[in-house]
Amino acid sequence: MKRPGFITWGYAGALAACVLAAVIVGWLAIATAIDGDIYDWLFRLQPSERARTQSVVLAIDEATLSRYGGVPQTRAIIADTLERIADAGPSVVAVDVILRDKTAEDARLAAALARTPNVVLAADILPGTSTWEDPLPAFRAHAAAVGHVHAEPDPVSRVLPLEKAAGGQRRWALALEAYRLHKRAAFIEESPDSIDVGGTRVPAARADARAMYIRYAPLSLISVANLRDEPGQLDQLRGRAVFIGDTALSAARDRLMTPLGPPMMAGVEIHANAFETLAAQAFIRRAPLSWSVTVSVLLVVAAGLVFAFLSGWPAYLAGSAIVAVSHTIPHVAFSRGVLFDYVMLAAAAWLSVGTAAAWQYFVVRRQLRKTESDKARYQQAIHFVTHEMRSPLTAIQGSSELMGRYNLNDEKRRQIAEMINSESKRLARMIQTFLDIERLTEGQMDLRSDRFDVVALAETCVQRARPLAERKQIDLRSNDMEPLAITGDRELMEYALYNLLTNAIKYSPAHTTVTIDARREASLVHISVRDQGIGMDAQELRNIGRKFYRTRKAEASGEAGTGIGLSLVQQIVEHHGGRMQVSSTPGQGSCFTMVLPCGIPATPASASTVLSN
C-alpha cells in the first residue's frame, strides 16, 4: 500500500538524477572500455557457428616460408599459389599483402594476376600520413578492385571500418570488395545508415566510417605448403572466396587481438571473418542511444514504483530483480544481434534501486519519528488536561456538592451558582485554548491578528492569579507601564502570561513579591514576570524549555507540575514572532520575559490603571 506523501517532487527528482547520472556514466571512456570487455565476454559466451564457410584462407605460415626460403620469397609464394589455383575456379581471390615495392618476382606475379579473375589487392594508409600505400601499377592493372586492410584495433579488433579515406581517395575494405565480387555486384549502393551489396543490406552508418562488427568463428584454413603437397585440396576452393596472406608469426605485422582472446589473429583471417559475416548476414547492430536511454528510464521508473508500493523484503527482492534484469538485457539482446550499452543500463538500475531504497528508509524513519512525536504529544495532552483543568473541575465539584448537601440560603446559592458558572466558562476557555495550542503545534491554526492592550492583558491575568497569591501571602504587583499595544492572538497570549504568573507564585515562598512589567525597547515589547523564588542554575536554564523538564528544586518543593507549561508558553511566543528570555539565580528568584514585535501604541484611554495588590 502506498504511503501518503511518499512520491514527492523530491523523490521524482532524485530518480531523474539517476537517469541523468547513468547516461553520463555511459558516455565515459571507462564505460566504453567496460562495454567492450562485456562484448568480448558475451561473444565467447555465445560463439558463432557456421555450417559451411564461403571462404578459404590460404595461409603463408611458418611451414610455407620454410619451404620457399623465407619472407623475401613472399611474392614468389603468391605467384606460385595463384598459378596453382587458377583452374580451381574460386569466385574471388583477395591478396592481403601490400605489393608496393619492386622485386625480381614482379613479372611472374603480374602474369599470374592476369590469369586470375576477380582479384582484390590490398592497400593501406601509411602510418602518420594521409597517403595510400597502393599496389604497383603493374599489379593494379590486373586487379578487379583494391581494398584497404585497416582493421583498426581499439585495442581489440571488434569492428571493421568498411570504408577509409585519405588524400582525397576512398577505399572500401578488402573483405567488402571481395564480397561484392563474390556476389557479382557491379557497385555498392550507399545510404546514410547502411550500404547494399548485391541485395545484402549491411547496417553500417556513414557517421561511423561504415563500421561493422565482425562475427568471429572457425575458418577453413589451408597452408600453402600443404596445398603444394596435396593438390586434391584445390577442390575446396571451387566457387568460394580465397584469401591469401601471411599468418606466420615472423611475417605478419598486423596480428591483432580479437574478442576470442589470445592468441592474436592475423589480418587475413580478420578479413576472412568479416567476409563470412557479410555472407551469413550475421550482423550485430549497436542499439541507438535512444534505446539505451529509454530502457534506463524504464528501469528507474520500475525501481521507483517498487519502493513506493512495497516495503521490507518484498521491496528488496523486487529491487534485486530489477538489477538482475539490467544485467540480463544485454545478454538477451546480443543473442538477437543487438548490442546495448551495458554500463548505462547497469548504472541506471543500481543507482535507482539504491536511491529509492535509501529514500524509503529515511521516509520510514521520518514517519517513525513522527509517530513517536505524535504519541509523546498525546501524552502531553493528557498531562495538560490533568494539570490545568483540575482546579476548575474541583471548584465545580465542591460547589455542587455543597448545594446538594446543605440547605443554603438564596444569597449563598446565588454566589455558588455564579462560581460554578464562572469556573465552567473558565474550563471551556481552557479546553478551547488547549485545542488552539494543539492546532498551533501541528501548524493547522492561523493566529488571530487582533490589536490589544498589554496593560489590560496584564490586569486580567493578575486578577485571575490573585487568589492563588493571597493563599500564599505573596504580594502580586506591577510596575508603572506605559500604554502599549501588540498584535496577535489575545487568548493565547493571556494563557502564556497567566502561566508565567502562576509558575512564579507556585515556586515562590510566602511573604515574597511577584512583579509584572511591560516596556518598549525600540521595535520590541518586553513583558516580564519576576519572582523571589527558588531560582535555577545555568544547567537548569539550558533545559527550561524542554517538555516535561522540571528542576530538582521544583520537584522537591512538593508543588504539582508536569513540565509542559513553559514549553507551551515558548511555542506561543515563537509563533507570534518573538522569543523567550530567562535569567535566574539560585535562591534569589527568576525573571521570565516575553520579547514580542511591537504593535500600534494603545491610546491612553484604553490603558488600564496601575495594578495593585
Side-chain angles (χ1 to χ4, degrees):
M1 184 176 66
K2 175 179 171 291
R3 298 178 193 83
F6 185 90
I7 299 180
T8 63
W9 284 111
Y11 185 58
L15 294 177
C18 291
V19 174
L20 181 60
V23 173
I24 293 174
V25 168
W27 284 344
L28 298 178
I30 188 172
T32 302
I34 294 173
D35 283 339
D37 293 338
I38 294 298
Y39 167 82
D40 297 344
W41 176 76
L42 291 174
F43 195 92
R44 292 190 293 271
L45 192 65
Q46 303 178 28
S48 300
E49 296 181 359
R50 298 178 182 135
R52 183 178 185 274
T53 61
Q54 298 189 43
S55 66
V56 176
V57 176
L58 297 183
I60 303 175
D61 54 10
E62 298 288 356
T64 302
L65 293 177
S66 177
R67 174 73 62 88
Y68 281 88
V71 174
Q73 300 300 316
T74 298
R75 291 194 183 178
I77 296 171
I78 296 172
D80 186 61
T81 302
L82 291 174
E83 293 168 354
R84 290 179 182 278
I85 69 174
D87 297 331
S91 62
V92 61
V93 177
V95 180
D96 188 8
V97 177
I98 305 297
L99 303 173
R100 176 167 182 164
D101 299 325
K102 294 181 179 182
T103 68
E105 298 292 333
D106 289 354
R108 181 188 175 190
L109 178 56
L113 290 171
R115 292 192 298 270
T116 306
N118 292 337
V119 173
V120 182
L121 297 181
D124 200 0
I125 300 174
L126 289 170
T129 71
S130 59
T131 303
W132 281 105
E133 188 179 17
D134 286 329
L136 292 172
F139 303 143
R140 177 69 181 85
H142 304 297
V146 175
H148 79 79
V149 291
H150 191 77
E152 201 168 67
D154 188 27
V156 179
S157 181
R158 303 182 182 101
V159 300
L160 176 68
L162 296 181
E163 71 172 7
K164 295 294 288 186
Q169 289 185 313
R170 183 181 68 166
R171 296 275 189 268
W172 294 110
L174 180 77
L176 182 61
E177 288 286 17
Y179 183 70
R180 177 180 68 83
L181 295 174
H182 179 76
K183 295 287 288 184
R184 299 180 181 178
F187 54 87
I188 296 172
E189 298 180 12
E190 300 181 60
S191 69
D193 297 324
S194 64
I195 58 176
D196 190 282
V197 186
T200 300
R201 182 178 176 276
V202 184
R206 178 180 294 137
D208 296 330
R210 305 291 186 188
M212 180 190 74
Y213 280 90
I214 304 173
R215 284 275 195 177
Y216 289 94
L219 296 167
S220 295
L221 192 146
I222 300 174
S223 170
V224 170
N226 291 342
L227 186 66
R228 182 176 179 178
D229 296 335
E230 302 175 18
Q233 294 188 13
L234 292 172
D235 293 338
Q236 300 181 37
L237 310 184
R238 191 170 304 279
R240 300 167 81 178
V242 174
F243 287 82
I244 303 174
D246 293 318
T247 62
L249 293 175
S250 59
R253 64 179 176 85
D254 60 345
R255 298 186 69 86
L256 304 174
M257 186 64 71
T258 70
L260 297 178
M264 295 196 295
M265 186 177 291
V268 65
E269 296 176 88
I270 292 174
H271 277 275
N273 271 289
F275 176 91
E276 292 293 343
T277 301
L278 291 164
Q281 300 185 29
F283 303 118
I284 299 174
R285 298 168 176 82
R286 188 165 196 86
L289 178 62
S290 59
W291 290 18
S292 296
V293 172
T294 299
V295 174
S296 298
V297 169
L298 293 176
L299 291 171
V300 171
V301 169
L305 292 177
V306 160
F307 284 93
F309 286 89
L310 298 177
S311 61
W313 69 263
Y316 292 106
L317 184 62
S320 300
I322 291 172
V323 172
V325 167
S326 72
H327 290 276
T328 303
I329 288 175
H331 177 84
V332 175
F334 183 81
S335 66
R336 289 161 174 76
V338 179
L339 192 61
F340 267 95
D341 292 319
Y342 177 87
V343 172
M344 185 182 298
L345 269 58
W350 281 100
L351 288 174
S352 61
V353 168
T355 299
W359 191 283
Q360 184 195 72
Y361 172 76
F362 287 112
V363 166
V364 169
R365 287 195 63 185
R366 185 177 67 223
Q367 291 178 335
L368 179 61
R369 287 195 300 268
K370 184 178 182 300
T371 300
E372 292 175 346
S373 175
D374 290 343
K375 180 181 178 181
R377 289 191 63 255
Y378 175 77
Q379 293 173 338
Q380 294 169 19
I382 298 301
H383 284 297
F384 178 83
V385 170
T386 57
H387 172 59
E388 299 293 336
M389 299 182 184
R390 184 183 295 116
S391 296
L393 285 174
T394 301
I396 293 172
Q397 182 181 7
S399 299
S400 60
E401 185 177 346
L402 287 174
M403 292 179 67
R405 179 176 297 181
Y406 301 103
N407 186 17
L408 304 175
N409 57 40
D410 292 341
E411 179 61 23
K412 199 63 175 179
R413 282 181 176 275
R414 185 185 63 78
Q415 292 177 356
I416 293 177
E418 288 178 354
M419 180 184 294
I420 293 174
N421 181 57
S422 174
E423 292 297 324
S424 62
K425 289 180 178 179
R426 177 186 168 195
L427 182 59
R429 287 196 302 272
M430 284 185 178
I431 294 173
Q432 185 60 49
T433 301
F434 166 67
L435 295 176
D436 289 344
I437 292 173
E438 287 293 295
R439 289 196 297 270
L440 185 65
T441 304
E442 289 292 328
Q444 298 174 351
M445 176 183 174
D446 294 329
L447 293 174
R448 287 188 289 271
S449 183
D450 301 326
R451 183 173 61 115
F452 56 90
D453 181 10
V454 173
V455 178
L457 177 71
E459 181 180 10
T460 301
C461 294
V462 167
Q463 294 301 328
R464 286 179 55 192
R466 190 175 301 284
L468 180 61
E470 290 176 346
R471 283 197 293 271
K472 294 188 68 174
Q473 298 180 336
I474 290 176
D475 183 13
L476 183 58
R477 65 176 60 179
S478 69
N479 295 327
D480 292 339
M481 291 183 284
E482 61 177 303
L484 292 172
I486 58 175
T487 301
D489 193 309
R490 191 187 190 284
E491 290 187 10
L492 290 179
M493 291 305 303
E494 181 179 332
Y495 171 84
L497 184 55
Y498 177 74
N499 190 285
L500 294 179
L501 281 173
T502 54
N503 271 357
I505 295 169
K506 185 186 300 184
Y507 298 112
S508 293
H511 308 293
T512 58
T513 301
V514 172
T515 306
I516 184 171
D517 182 37
R519 67 187 186 280
R520 177 172 178 173
E521 294 183 5
S523 60
L524 299 174
V525 172
H526 294 241
I527 305 175
S528 303
V529 175
R530 183 182 299 274
D531 63 50
Q532 297 173 335
I534 55 180
M536 296 172 286
D537 58 28
Q539 177 65 31
E540 291 170 330
L541 279 177
R542 284 195 292 269
N543 295 289
I544 196 65
R546 271 177 39 202
K547 293 178 181 178
F548 305 117
Y549 177 77
R550 299 187 73 203
T551 66
R552 293 187 300 273
K553 292 181 179 179
E555 291 177 344
S557 66
E559 294 286 353
T562 60
I564 65 171
L566 288 177
S567 66
L568 292 177
V569 171
Q570 184 167 314
Q571 286 188 54
I572 293 171
V573 172
E574 289 176 351
H575 278 80
H576 279 80
R579 67 181 187 277
M580 287 294 300
Q581 290 181 347
V582 184
S583 61
S584 184
T585 303
Q588 298 182 22
S590 305
C591 180
F592 290 81
T593 303
M594 298 184 292
V595 182
L596 299 160
C598 184
I600 303 173
T603 60
S606 66
S608 301
T609 57
V610 176
L611 300 174
S612 63
N613 54 357

